[in-house]
């Protein structure tokens, strides 16, 4: 069994952009916005997780029923139990790889990006 990697954190109510030091290179006219690419990763995580949970629950239920002595009365039943066990293992690996890909991408994506939207511009 794998442990799920950390999920990308959605924007918290009242969360403010990072504070920069007011040095000579800082541009006070630039504003910050929550990174839309990071937001897409949050949405992707929240979209895929319920589907993976549904699949896991369905296979766990089938596996529990298949292992029950009341379900199978023939030696062939063990083959089906092994098949379901293999499907569960494959789903666990798939779940781990999908969630790890999203989590790794979120770790490499900044939560806030600078934008010029709403900032005053000089007339040209």
């Amino acid at each position: 069994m794998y442990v799920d990697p950390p999920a990308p954190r959605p924007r918290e109510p009242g969360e403010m952009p990072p504070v920069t030091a007011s040095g000579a290179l800082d541009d006070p006219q630039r504003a910050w916005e929550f990174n839309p690419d990071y937001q897409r990763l949050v949405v992707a995580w929240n979209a895929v997780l319920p589907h993976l949970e549904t699949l896991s629950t369905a296979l766990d239920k089938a596996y529990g029923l298949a292992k029950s002595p009341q379900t199978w009365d023939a030696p062939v039943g063990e083959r089906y139990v092994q098949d379901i066990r293999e499907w569960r293992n494959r789903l666990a690996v798939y779940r781990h790889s999908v969630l790890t890909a999203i989590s790794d991408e979120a770790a490499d994506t900044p939560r806030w990006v600078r934008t010029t939207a709403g900032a005053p511009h000089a007339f040209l």
Side-chain angles (χ1 to χ4, degrees), residues 2 4 10 12 16-17 25 29 38 60-61 67-68 83 89 94 100 102 104 108 110 117 122:
Y2 295 98
D4 288 344
E12 303 286 331
M16 300 303 290
L25 299 177
Q29 302 297 323
Y38 191 89
D60 289 346
K61 182 178 178 182
K67 285 190 59 120
S68 171
D83 285 346
N89 291 339
Y94 179 73
T100 299
I102 295 172
D104 288 350
D108 294 338

Side-chain angles (χ1 to χ4, degrees), residues 33-110:
E33 72 172 333
F34 195 73
N35 192 345
D37 292 334
Y38 191 89
Q39 182 60 33
R40 283 189 207 90
L41 293 169
V42 171
V43 169
W45 180 282
N46 291 334
V48 77
L49 192 61
H51 295 296
L52 293 171
E53 290 290 337
T54 301
L55 290 171
S56 295
T57 302
L59 281 176
D60 289 346
K61 182 178 178 182
Y63 183 72
L65 290 173
K67 285 190 59 120
S68 171
Q70 290 83 18
T71 303
W72 302 108
D73 194 19
V76 73
E78 183 57 33
R79 227 177 30 222
Y80 293 114
V81 171
Q82 289 174 355
D83 285 346
I84 295 172
R85 185 181 307 124
E86 179 63 27
W87 294 337
R88 290 176 65 215
N89 291 339
R90 288 181 182 181
L91 179 62
V93 170
Y94 179 73
R95 173 190 177 118
H96 184 70
S97 66
V98 168
L99 295 181
T100 299
I102 295 172
S103 180
D104 288 350
E105 186 68 26
D108 294 338
T109 305

